[in-house]
Amino acid sequence: MLDRRPSHDDLVEHLVRSTSLQRGEAARVVLDVLAYFDETTEEFVRRRHRELQAGGAVNAEIFERIAAELPHRAVAPPELSLRQLRRIVYG
């Protein structure tokens, strides 16, 4: 089966022209950025919870911070309550 994902060659070429990145490096950057923005709200909440917890933050701080960060995502999800955020992490 052929891979039908859209090509981002134009963006890769732009990065090669406008930065010091080589073509392979530029392609990896594009794929990393796309993966970052492809993350679902639930995946984002779980990832940020793990990161902030690993940094020593406690849950009260963590959920407040995640709630403040969510509206600034590229495609902001609907506003989630602190309880909804906890349910995403803990089920």
Side-chain angles (χ1 to χ4, degrees):
M1 176 157 244
L2 295 174
D3 189 9
R4 297 275 184 202
R5 283 183 284 171
S7 172
H8 301 286
D9 286 340
D10 57 334
L11 180 55
V12 171
E13 292 302 323
H14 171 74
L15 289 173
V16 169
R17 283 191 312 273
S18 64
T19 70
S20 61
L21 295 174
Q22 298 296 313
R23 183 168 175 70
E25 295 168 323
R28 281 192 301 278
V29 168
V30 169
L31 292 176
D32 284 348
V33 169
L34 291 173
Y36 177 84
F37 286 115
D38 197 35
E39 190 175 47
T40 67
T41 299
E42 290 79 8
E43 291 166 340
F44 172 78
V45 169
R46 289 183 188 110
R47 177 179 61 80
R48 286 299 289 147
H49 182 269
R50 283 191 308 272
E51 292 170 353
L52 294 169
Q53 197 172 46
V58 297
N59 276 344
E61 298 169 28
I62 290 172
F63 292 117
E64 289 285 342
R65 181 145 175 207
I66 292 171
E69 290 176 358
L70 279 172
H72 301 286
R73 298 284 294 163
V75 178
E79 187 173 337
L80 299 173
S81 69
L82 298 180
R83 179 185 172 139
Q84 288 171 308
L85 293 173
R86 285 184 192 92
R87 290 183 65 105
I88 288 172
V89 173
Y90 297 113

Coordinates of all heavy atoms in Angstrom, one line a residue:
M1 N 0.8 -1.2 0.0 CA 0.0 0.0 0.0 C 0.9 1.2 0.0 O 1.8 1.3 0.8 CB -0.9 0.0 1.2 CG -1.8 1.2 1.4 SD -3.2 0.8 2.4 CE -4.4 1.1 1.2
L2 N 0.6 2.2 -0.8 CA 1.4 3.4 -0.9 C 1.0 4.4 0.2 O -0.1 4.5 0.7 CB 1.1 4.1 -2.2 CG 1.5 3.4 -3.5 CD1 1.0 4.2 -4.7 CD2 3.0 3.2 -3.6
D3 N 2.0 5.1 0.7 CA 1.9 6.1 1.7 C 1.2 7.3 1.1 O 1.8 7.9 0.2 CB 3.2 6.4 2.3 CG 3.1 7.3 3.5 OD1 2.0 7.5 4.0 OD2 4.2 7.8 4.0
R4 N 0.1 7.7 1.5 CA -0.7 8.8 0.9 C -0.6 10.1 1.8 O -1.5 11.0 1.6 CB -2.2 8.4 0.8 CG -2.4 7.2 -0.1 CD -2.4 7.7 -1.5 NE -2.7 6.6 -2.4 CZ -2.4 6.6 -3.7 NH1 -1.9 7.7 -4.2 NH2 -2.7 5.6 -4.5
R5 N 0.3 10.2 2.7 CA 0.5 11.5 3.4 C 0.9 12.6 2.5 O 1.6 12.4 1.6 CB 1.5 11.3 4.5 CG 0.9 10.5 5.7 CD 1.9 10.5 6.8 NE 2.9 9.5 6.4 CZ 4.1 9.3 7.0 NH1 4.4 10.0 8.1 NH2 4.9 8.4 6.6
P6 N 0.4 13.8 2.7 CA 0.7 14.9 1.9 C 2.2 15.2 1.9 O 2.8 15.1 3.0 CB -0.1 16.1 2.4 CG -0.5 15.7 3.8 CD -0.5 14.2 3.8
S7 N 2.8 15.6 0.8 CA 4.2 15.9 0.8 C 4.4 17.4 1.3 O 3.6 18.2 1.0 CB 4.7 15.8 -0.7 OG 6.0 16.3 -0.7
H8 N 5.4 17.6 2.0 CA 5.8 18.9 2.5 C 7.1 19.3 1.9 O 7.8 20.1 2.6 CB 5.8 18.9 4.0 CG 4.5 18.4 4.6 ND1 3.4 19.3 4.7 CD2 4.1 17.3 5.2 CE1 2.4 18.6 5.2 NE2 2.8 17.4 5.5
D9 N 7.4 18.9 0.7 CA 8.6 19.2 0.0 C 8.8 20.7 -0.1 O 10.0 21.2 0.0 CB 8.7 18.6 -1.3 CG 9.0 17.1 -1.2 OD1 9.5 16.6 -0.2 OD2 8.7 16.4 -2.2
D10 N 7.8 21.5 -0.3 CA 7.9 22.9 -0.5 C 8.4 23.5 0.8 O 9.2 24.4 0.8 CB 6.6 23.6 -1.0 CG 5.4 23.3 -0.1 OD1 5.4 22.2 0.6 OD2 4.5 24.1 -0.1
L11 N 7.9 23.1 1.9 CA 8.3 23.6 3.2 C 9.7 23.2 3.5 O 10.5 24.0 4.0 CB 7.4 23.1 4.4 CG 7.7 23.6 5.8 CD1 7.8 25.1 5.9 CD2 6.6 23.0 6.7
V12 N 10.1 21.9 3.2 CA 11.4 21.4 3.4 C 12.4 22.3 2.6 O 13.4 22.8 3.1 CB 11.6 19.9 3.1 CG1 13.0 19.5 3.0 CG2 10.8 19.1 4.0
E13 N 12.1 22.5 1.3 CA 12.9 23.4 0.5 C 13.1 24.8 1.0 O 14.1 25.4 1.0 CB 12.4 23.4 -1.0 CG 12.5 22.0 -1.7 CD 13.9 21.5 -1.7 OE1 14.9 22.3 -1.9 OE2 14.1 20.3 -1.6
H14 N 12.0 25.3 1.5 CA 12.0 26.7 2.1 C 13.0 26.7 3.3 O 13.8 27.6 3.4 CB 10.6 27.1 2.5 CG 10.6 28.4 3.3 ND1 10.9 29.6 2.8 CD2 10.5 28.6 4.7 CE1 10.8 30.5 3.7 NE2 10.6 29.9 4.9
L15 N 12.9 25.7 4.1 CA 13.8 25.6 5.3 C 15.3 25.5 4.9 O 16.2 26.1 5.4 CB 13.4 24.5 6.2 CG 12.1 24.7 7.0 CD1 11.8 23.4 7.8 CD2 12.3 25.9 8.0
V16 N 15.5 24.7 3.8 CA 16.9 24.5 3.3 C 17.4 25.9 2.8 O 18.6 26.2 3.1 CB 16.9 23.4 2.2 CG1 18.3 23.4 1.5 CG2 16.7 22.1 2.8
R17 N 16.6 26.6 2.1 CA 17.0 27.9 1.5 C 17.2 29.0 2.6 O 18.0 29.8 2.5 CB 15.9 28.4 0.5 CG 16.0 27.8 -0.8 CD 15.1 28.5 -1.9 NE 13.8 28.8 -1.4 CZ 12.7 28.0 -1.5 NH1 12.9 26.8 -2.0 NH2 11.5 28.3 -1.0
S18 N 16.3 28.9 3.6 CA 16.3 30.0 4.6 C 17.1 29.8 5.9 O 17.2 30.7 6.7 CB 14.9 30.4 4.9 OG 14.2 29.3 5.5
T19 N 17.6 28.6 6.0 CA 18.4 28.2 7.2 C 19.6 27.5 6.8 O 19.9 27.2 5.7 CB 17.6 27.3 8.2 OG1 17.4 26.0 7.6 CG2 16.2 27.9 8.5
S20 N 20.4 27.1 7.8 CA 21.6 26.3 7.5 C 21.3 24.8 7.6 O 22.3 24.0 7.5 CB 22.7 26.7 8.6 OG 22.3 26.4 9.9
L21 N 20.1 24.4 7.7 CA 19.7 23.0 7.7 C 19.9 22.3 6.4 O 19.7 22.9 5.3 CB 18.2 22.8 8.1 CG 17.8 23.3 9.5 CD1 16.3 23.2 9.7 CD2 18.5 22.5 10.6
Q22 N 20.4 21.1 6.4 CA 20.5 20.2 5.3 C 19.1 19.7 5.0 O 18.2 19.7 5.9 CB 21.5 19.1 5.5 CG 22.9 19.6 5.7 CD 23.5 20.3 4.5 OE1 23.4 19.9 3.4 NE2 24.1 21.5 4.8
R23 N 18.9 19.1 3.8 CA 17.5 18.6 3.4 C 17.0 17.6 4.4 O 15.9 17.6 4.9 CB 17.6 18.0 2.0 CG 16.2 17.6 1.6 CD 16.2 17.3 0.1 NE 14.9 16.7 -0.3 CZ 13.7 17.3 -0.3 NH1 13.7 18.6 0.0 NH2 12.6 16.7 -0.7
G24 N 17.8 16.6 4.8 CA 17.4 15.6 5.8 C 17.0 16.2 7.1 O 16.1 15.8 7.8
E25 N 17.8 17.1 7.6 CA 17.5 17.8 8.9 C 16.2 18.6 8.8 O 15.4 18.5 9.7 CB 18.7 18.7 9.2 CG 20.0 18.0 9.5 CD 21.1 19.0 9.6 OE1 21.2 20.0 8.8 OE2 22.0 18.8 10.4
A26 N 16.1 19.3 7.7 CA 14.8 20.1 7.5 C 13.6 19.2 7.5 O 12.6 19.5 8.0 CB 14.9 20.9 6.2
A27 N 13.7 18.0 6.8 CA 12.6 17.1 6.7 C 12.3 16.6 8.1 O 11.1 16.4 8.5 CB 13.0 15.9 5.8
R28 N 13.3 16.3 8.9 CA 13.0 15.8 10.3 C 12.3 16.9 11.1 O 11.4 16.6 11.9 CB 14.3 15.4 11.0 CG 14.8 14.0 10.6 CD 15.9 13.4 11.4 NE 17.1 14.3 11.5 CZ 18.0 14.3 10.5 NH1 17.9 13.4 9.5 NH2 19.1 15.0 10.6
V29 N 12.8 18.1 11.0 CA 12.1 19.3 11.7 C 10.7 19.4 11.3 O 9.8 19.5 12.2 CB 12.9 20.6 11.4 CG1 12.1 21.8 11.9 CG2 14.3 20.6 12.1
V30 N 10.4 19.3 10.0 CA 9.0 19.4 9.6 C 8.2 18.3 10.2 O 7.1 18.5 10.7 CB 8.9 19.4 8.0 CG1 7.5 19.2 7.6 CG2 9.5 20.7 7.5
L31 N 8.7 17.0 10.1 CA 7.9 15.9 10.7 C 7.7 16.0 12.2 O 6.7 15.7 12.7 CB 8.7 14.6 10.3 CG 8.6 14.2 8.9 CD1 9.5 12.9 8.6 CD2 7.2 14.0 8.4
D32 N 8.8 16.5 12.9 CA 8.6 16.8 14.4 C 7.6 17.8 14.7 O 6.8 17.6 15.6 CB 10.0 17.2 15.0 CG 10.9 16.0 15.1 OD1 10.5 14.9 15.0 OD2 12.1 16.3 15.4
V33 N 7.6 18.9 13.9 CA 6.6 19.9 14.2 C 5.2 19.4 13.9 O 4.2 19.7 14.6 CB 6.9 21.2 13.3 CG1 5.7 22.2 13.4 CG2 8.2 21.8 13.8
L34 N 5.0 18.7 12.8 CA 3.7 18.1 12.4 C 3.2 17.2 13.5 O 2.0 17.2 13.9 CB 3.7 17.5 11.1 CG 3.9 18.4 9.9 CD1 4.1 17.6 8.6 CD2 2.8 19.4 9.7
A35 N 4.1 16.3 14.0 CA 3.8 15.4 15.1 C 3.3 16.1 16.3 O 2.4 15.8 17.0 CB 4.9 14.5 15.3
Y36 N 4.0 17.2 16.6 CA 3.7 18.0 17.8 C 2.3 18.6 17.7 O 1.5 18.5 18.6 CB 4.7 19.2 18.0 CG 4.4 20.1 19.1 CD1 4.8 19.8 20.4 CD2 3.7 21.3 18.9 CE1 4.6 20.6 21.5 CE2 3.5 22.1 20.0 CZ 3.9 21.8 21.2 OH 3.6 22.7 22.3
F37 N 1.9 19.1 16.5 CA 0.6 19.7 16.4 C -0.5 18.7 16.1 O -1.6 19.0 16.1 CB 0.6 20.8 15.3 CG 1.3 22.0 15.8 CD1 2.5 22.5 15.2 CD2 0.8 22.8 16.8 CE1 3.1 23.6 15.7 CE2 1.4 23.9 17.3 CZ 2.6 24.3 16.7
D38 N -0.1 17.4 15.8 CA -1.0 16.4 15.6 C -1.5 15.7 16.9 O -2.4 14.9 16.9 CB -0.4 15.3 14.7 CG -1.4 14.4 14.0 OD1 -2.6 14.9 13.7 OD2 -1.1 13.2 13.9
E39 N -0.8 16.1 18.0 CA -1.1 15.5 19.3 C -2.5 15.9 19.7 O -3.0 17.1 19.6 CB -0.1 16.1 20.3 CG 0.0 15.6 21.6 CD 1.1 16.2 22.4 OE1 1.2 17.4 22.4 OE2 1.8 15.4 23.0
T40 N -3.3 14.9 20.2 CA -4.6 15.2 20.6 C -4.6 15.9 22.0 O -3.6 16.0 22.6 CB -5.4 13.9 20.8 OG1 -4.9 13.2 21.9 CG2 -5.5 13.0 19.6
T41 N -5.7 16.5 22.4 CA -5.8 17.2 23.6 C -5.4 16.2 24.8 O -4.6 16.5 25.7 CB -7.2 17.7 23.9 OG1 -7.5 18.7 22.8 CG2 -7.3 18.4 25.2
E42 N -5.9 15.0 24.7 CA -5.7 14.0 25.8 C -4.2 13.7 25.8 O -3.6 13.6 26.9 CB -6.5 12.7 25.6 CG -8.0 12.9 25.8 CD -8.7 13.6 24.7 OE1 -8.2 13.8 23.6 OE2 -9.9 13.9 24.9
E43 N -3.6 13.5 24.6 CA -2.1 13.2 24.6 C -1.3 14.4 25.1 O -0.3 14.2 25.9 CB -1.7 12.9 23.2 CG -2.2 11.6 22.6 CD -2.1 11.4 21.1 OE1 -1.9 12.4 20.4 OE2 -2.1 10.3 20.7
F44 N -1.7 15.6 24.8 CA -1.0 16.8 25.3 C -1.1 16.9 26.8 O -0.1 17.1 27.5 CB -1.6 18.1 24.7 CG -1.1 19.3 25.3 CD1 0.2 19.8 24.9 CD2 -1.8 20.0 26.2 CE1 0.7 21.0 25.5 CE2 -1.3 21.2 26.8 CZ -0.1 21.7 26.4
V45 N -2.3 16.7 27.4 CA -2.5 16.8 28.8 C -1.7 15.7 29.5 O -1.0 16.0 30.5 CB -4.0 16.6 29.2 CG1 -4.2 16.4 30.7 CG2 -4.8 17.8 28.7
R46 N -1.7 14.5 29.0 CA -0.9 13.4 29.7 C 0.6 13.7 29.6 O 1.4 13.5 30.5 CB -1.2 12.1 29.0 CG -2.6 11.6 29.4 CD -2.8 10.2 28.8 NE -4.2 9.8 29.0 CZ -5.1 9.7 28.0 NH1 -4.8 9.9 26.8 NH2 -6.3 9.4 28.3
R47 N 1.1 14.2 28.4 CA 2.5 14.5 28.2 C 2.9 15.6 29.1 O 3.9 15.5 29.8 CB 2.8 14.8 26.8 CG 4.3 15.3 26.5 CD 4.6 15.6 25.1 NE 3.8 16.7 24.6 CZ 4.0 18.0 24.8 NH1 5.1 18.3 25.5 NH2 3.3 18.9 24.2
R48 N 2.2 16.7 29.1 CA 2.5 17.9 30.0 C 2.5 17.5 31.5 O 3.3 17.9 32.3 CB 1.6 19.0 29.7 CG 1.9 19.7 28.4 CD 3.3 20.3 28.3 NE 3.4 21.5 29.2 CZ 4.5 21.8 29.9 NH1 5.6 21.1 29.7 NH2 4.5 22.9 30.6
H49 N 1.5 16.6 31.9 CA 1.4 16.2 33.3 C 2.7 15.5 33.6 O 3.3 15.7 34.7 CB 0.2 15.3 33.5 CG 0.1 14.9 34.9 ND1 0.6 13.7 35.4 CD2 -0.6 15.5 36.0 CE1 0.3 13.6 36.6 NE2 -0.4 14.6 37.0
R50 N 3.1 14.5 32.8 CA 4.4 13.8 33.0 C 5.6 14.7 33.1 O 6.4 14.6 34.0 CB 4.7 12.8 31.9 CG 3.8 11.5 32.0 CD 4.3 10.4 31.0 NE 4.5 10.9 29.7 CZ 3.5 10.9 28.7 NH1 2.3 10.4 29.1 NH2 3.8 11.3 27.5
E51 N 5.7 15.7 32.2 CA 6.8 16.6 32.1 C 6.9 17.5 33.4 O 7.9 17.7 34.0 CB 6.7 17.5 30.9 CG 7.0 16.8 29.6 CD 6.7 17.6 28.4 OE1 6.1 18.8 28.5 OE2 7.0 17.2 27.3
L52 N 5.7 18.0 33.8 CA 5.7 18.9 34.9 C 5.9 18.2 36.2 O 6.6 18.7 37.1 CB 4.3 19.7 34.9 CG 4.2 20.7 33.8 CD1 2.7 21.2 33.7 CD2 5.2 21.8 33.8
Q53 N 5.3 17.0 36.3 CA 5.5 16.1 37.5 C 7.0 15.8 37.6 O 7.6 15.8 38.7 CB 4.7 14.9 37.4 CG 4.5 14.1 38.7 CD 3.5 13.0 38.5 OE1 3.5 12.3 37.5 NE2 2.5 12.9 39.4
A54 N 7.7 15.4 36.5 CA 9.1 15.1 36.5 C 9.9 16.3 36.9 O 11.0 16.2 37.5 CB 9.6 14.6 35.1
G55 N 9.4 17.5 36.7 CA 10.1 18.7 37.1 C 9.8 19.1 38.5 O 10.3 20.2 39.0
G56 N 9.1 18.3 39.2 CA 8.8 18.5 40.7 C 7.6 19.3 41.0 O 7.3 19.5 42.2
A57 N 6.7 19.6 40.0 CA 5.5 20.3 40.3 C 4.5 19.3 41.0 O 4.5 18.1 40.7 CB 4.9 20.9 39.1
V58 N 3.6 19.9 41.8 CA 2.5 19.1 42.4 C 1.3 19.2 41.5 O 1.1 20.2 40.8 CB 2.3 19.5 43.8 CG1 3.5 19.2 44.7 CG2 1.8 20.9 44.0
N59 N 0.3 18.3 41.7 CA -0.8 18.2 40.8 C -1.6 19.5 40.8 O -2.1 19.9 39.8 CB -1.7 17.0 41.2 CG -1.3 15.8 40.6 OD1 -0.5 15.8 39.6 ND2 -1.8 14.6 41.1
A60 N -1.8 20.2 42.0 CA -2.6 21.4 42.0 C -2.0 22.4 41.0 O -2.7 23.1 40.2 CB -2.7 22.0 43.4
E61 N -0.7 22.6 41.0 CA 0.0 23.5 40.1 C -0.1 23.0 38.7 O -0.3 23.8 37.7 CB 1.5 23.6 40.5 CG 1.8 24.1 41.8 CD 3.3 23.9 42.2 OE1 4.1 23.9 41.2 OE2 3.6 23.8 43.4
I62 N 0.1 21.7 38.5 CA 0.2 21.1 37.2 C -1.1 21.3 36.4 O -1.1 21.8 35.3 CB 0.5 19.6 37.3 CG1 1.9 19.3 37.7 CG2 0.2 18.9 35.9 CD1 2.3 17.9 38.0
F63 N -2.3 21.0 37.1 CA -3.5 21.1 36.4 C -3.9 22.6 36.1 O -4.4 22.9 35.0 CB -4.6 20.4 37.1 CG -4.4 18.9 37.1 CD1 -4.2 18.2 38.2 CD2 -4.4 18.2 35.9 CE1 -4.0 16.8 38.2 CE2 -4.2 16.8 35.8 CZ -4.0 16.1 37.0
E64 N -3.5 23.5 37.0 CA -3.7 24.9 36.7 C -2.9 25.4 35.5 O -3.4 26.1 34.6 CB -3.3 25.8 37.9 CG -4.3 25.6 39.1 CD -5.6 26.4 38.9 OE1 -5.7 27.3 38.0 OE2 -6.6 26.1 39.6
R65 N -1.7 24.9 35.5 CA -0.8 25.3 34.3 C -1.3 24.7 33.0 O -1.3 25.4 32.0 CB 0.6 24.8 34.6 CG 1.6 25.2 33.6 CD 2.9 25.6 34.1 NE 3.8 25.8 33.0 CZ 5.1 25.6 33.1 NH1 5.7 25.2 34.2 NH2 5.9 25.8 32.0
I66 N -1.7 23.5 33.0 CA -2.2 22.8 31.8 C -3.4 23.6 31.3 O -3.6 23.9 30.1 CB -2.4 21.3 32.0 CG1 -1.1 20.6 32.2 CG2 -3.2 20.8 30.8 CD1 -1.3 19.1 32.6
A67 N -4.3 23.9 32.2 CA -5.5 24.6 31.9 C -5.2 26.0 31.2 O -5.8 26.4 30.3 CB -6.4 24.8 33.1
A68 N -4.1 26.6 31.7 CA -3.7 27.9 31.2 C -3.0 27.7 29.8 O -3.1 28.6 29.0 CB -2.8 28.6 32.1
E69 N -2.3 26.6 29.6 CA -1.6 26.4 28.3 C -2.6 26.0 27.2 O -2.3 26.3 26.0 CB -0.6 25.3 28.5 CG 0.6 25.7 29.4 CD 1.6 24.6 29.6 OE1 1.4 23.5 29.1 OE2 2.6 24.9 30.2
L70 N -3.6 25.2 27.5 CA -4.5 24.7 26.4 C -5.0 25.7 25.4 O -5.0 25.4 24.2 CB -5.6 23.9 27.1 CG -5.3 22.5 27.5 CD1 -6.4 21.8 28.3 CD2 -4.9 21.6 26.3
P71 N -5.5 26.9 25.9 CA -6.0 27.8 24.9 C -5.0 28.3 23.9 O -5.3 28.9 22.9 CB -6.6 29.0 25.8 CG -6.7 28.4 27.1 CD -5.7 27.3 27.3
H72 N -3.7 28.1 24.2 CA -2.7 28.6 23.3 C -2.1 27.6 22.3 O -1.2 27.9 21.6 CB -1.5 29.2 24.2 CG -2.0 30.3 25.1 ND1 -2.3 31.5 24.6 CD2 -2.3 30.3 26.4 CE1 -2.7 32.3 25.7 NE2 -2.7 31.5 26.7
R73 N -2.8 26.4 22.3 CA -2.4 25.4 21.3 C -2.8 25.9 19.9 O -3.7 26.8 19.8 CB -3.1 24.1 21.6 CG -2.8 23.5 22.9 CD -1.5 22.8 23.0 NE -1.5 21.6 22.1 CZ -0.4 21.0 21.6 NH1 0.8 21.4 22.0 NH2 -0.5 20.0 20.8
A74 N -2.2 25.4 18.9 CA -2.5 25.8 17.5 C -4.0 25.7 17.2 O -4.5 26.6 16.6 CB -1.7 25.0 16.5
V75 N -4.6 24.6 17.6 CA -6.0 24.5 17.5 C -6.5 24.2 18.9 O -6.4 23.1 19.4 CB -6.4 23.3 16.6 CG1 -7.9 23.1 16.5 CG2 -5.8 23.5 15.2
A76 N -7.0 25.3 19.5 CA -7.3 25.2 20.9 C -8.6 24.3 21.1 O -9.6 24.4 20.4 CB -7.6 26.6 21.5
P77 N -8.5 23.4 22.1 CA -9.7 22.6 22.4 C -10.7 23.3 23.2 O -10.4 24.5 23.6 CB -9.1 21.4 23.2 CG -7.9 22.1 23.9 CD -7.4 23.1 22.9
P78 N -11.9 22.8 23.4 CA -12.8 23.5 24.2 C -12.2 23.6 25.6 O -11.4 22.8 26.0 CB -14.1 22.6 24.2 CG -13.6 21.3 23.7 CD -12.3 21.5 22.9
E79 N -12.7 24.6 26.4 CA -12.2 24.7 27.7 C -12.5 23.5 28.6 O -13.6 23.0 28.6 CB -12.8 26.0 28.4 CG -12.2 26.3 29.7 CD -12.7 27.7 30.2 OE1 -13.1 28.5 29.4 OE2 -12.6 27.8 31.5
L80 N -11.5 23.0 29.3 CA -11.7 21.8 30.1 C -11.6 22.2 31.6 O -10.7 23.0 31.9 CB -10.7 20.8 29.8 CG -10.7 20.2 28.4 CD1 -9.5 19.3 28.1 CD2 -12.0 19.5 28.1
S81 N -12.4 21.7 32.4 CA -12.3 22.0 33.9 C -11.1 21.2 34.4 O -10.6 20.3 33.8 CB -13.6 21.6 34.6 OG -13.7 20.1 34.6
L82 N -10.7 21.6 35.6 CA -9.6 20.9 36.3 C -10.0 19.4 36.5 O -9.2 18.5 36.4 CB -9.3 21.6 37.6 CG -8.7 23.0 37.5 CD1 -8.4 23.6 38.9 CD2 -7.6 23.1 36.6
R83 N -11.3 19.2 36.8 CA -11.8 17.8 37.0 C -11.6 17.0 35.7 O -11.2 15.9 35.7 CB -13.2 17.8 37.5 CG -13.8 16.4 37.6 CD -15.2 16.5 38.0 NE -15.8 15.1 37.9 CZ -16.6 14.6 38.8 NH1 -17.0 15.3 39.8 NH2 -17.0 13.4 38.7
Q84 N -12.0 17.6 34.6 CA -11.8 16.9 33.3 C -10.4 16.6 33.0 O -10.0 15.6 32.4 CB -12.4 17.8 32.1 CG -14.0 17.8 32.2 CD -14.5 18.9 31.2 OE1 -14.1 20.0 31.2 NE2 -15.4 18.4 30.4
L85 N -9.5 17.6 33.3 CA -8.0 17.3 33.1 C -7.6 16.1 34.0 O -6.8 15.3 33.5 CB -7.2 18.6 33.5 CG -7.5 19.8 32.5 CD1 -6.7 21.0 33.1 CD2 -7.0 19.5 31.1
R86 N -8.0 16.1 35.2 CA -7.6 15.0 36.1 C -8.1 13.6 35.5 O -7.4 12.6 35.6 CB -8.2 15.2 37.5 CG -7.4 16.2 38.3 CD -8.0 16.3 39.7 NE -7.5 17.5 40.4 CZ -8.0 18.7 40.4 NH1 -9.2 18.8 39.8 NH2 -7.5 19.7 41.0
R87 N -9.4 13.7 35.0 CA -9.9 12.4 34.4 C -9.1 11.9 33.2 O -9.0 10.7 33.0 CB -11.4 12.6 34.1 CG -12.3 12.8 35.4 CD -13.7 12.9 35.0 NE -14.2 11.7 34.3 CZ -14.9 10.8 34.9 NH1 -15.3 10.9 36.1 NH2 -15.3 9.7 34.2
I88 N -8.6 12.9 32.4 CA -7.8 12.5 31.3 C -6.6 11.8 31.8 O -6.2 10.7 31.2 CB -7.4 13.7 30.4 CG1 -8.6 14.2 29.7 CG2 -6.3 13.4 29.5 CD1 -8.4 15.6 29.0
V89 N -5.9 12.3 32.8 CA -4.7 11.7 33.3 C -5.0 10.4 34.1 O -4.3 9.3 33.9 CB -3.9 12.6 34.2 CG1 -2.7 12.0 34.9 CG2 -3.5 13.8 33.4
Y90 N -6.0 10.4 35.0 CA -6.2 9.2 35.9 C -7.4 8.4 35.5 O -7.6 7.3 36.1 CB -6.4 9.7 37.3 CG -5.1 10.4 37.8 CD1 -5.1 11.8 38.1 CD2 -3.9 9.7 38.0 CE1 -4.0 12.4 38.5 CE2 -2.8 10.3 38.4 CZ -2.8 11.7 38.7 OH -1.7 12.3 39.1
G91 N -8.1 8.8 34.5 CA -9.3 7.9 34.1 C -10.5 8.1 34.8 O -10.8 8.8 35.7

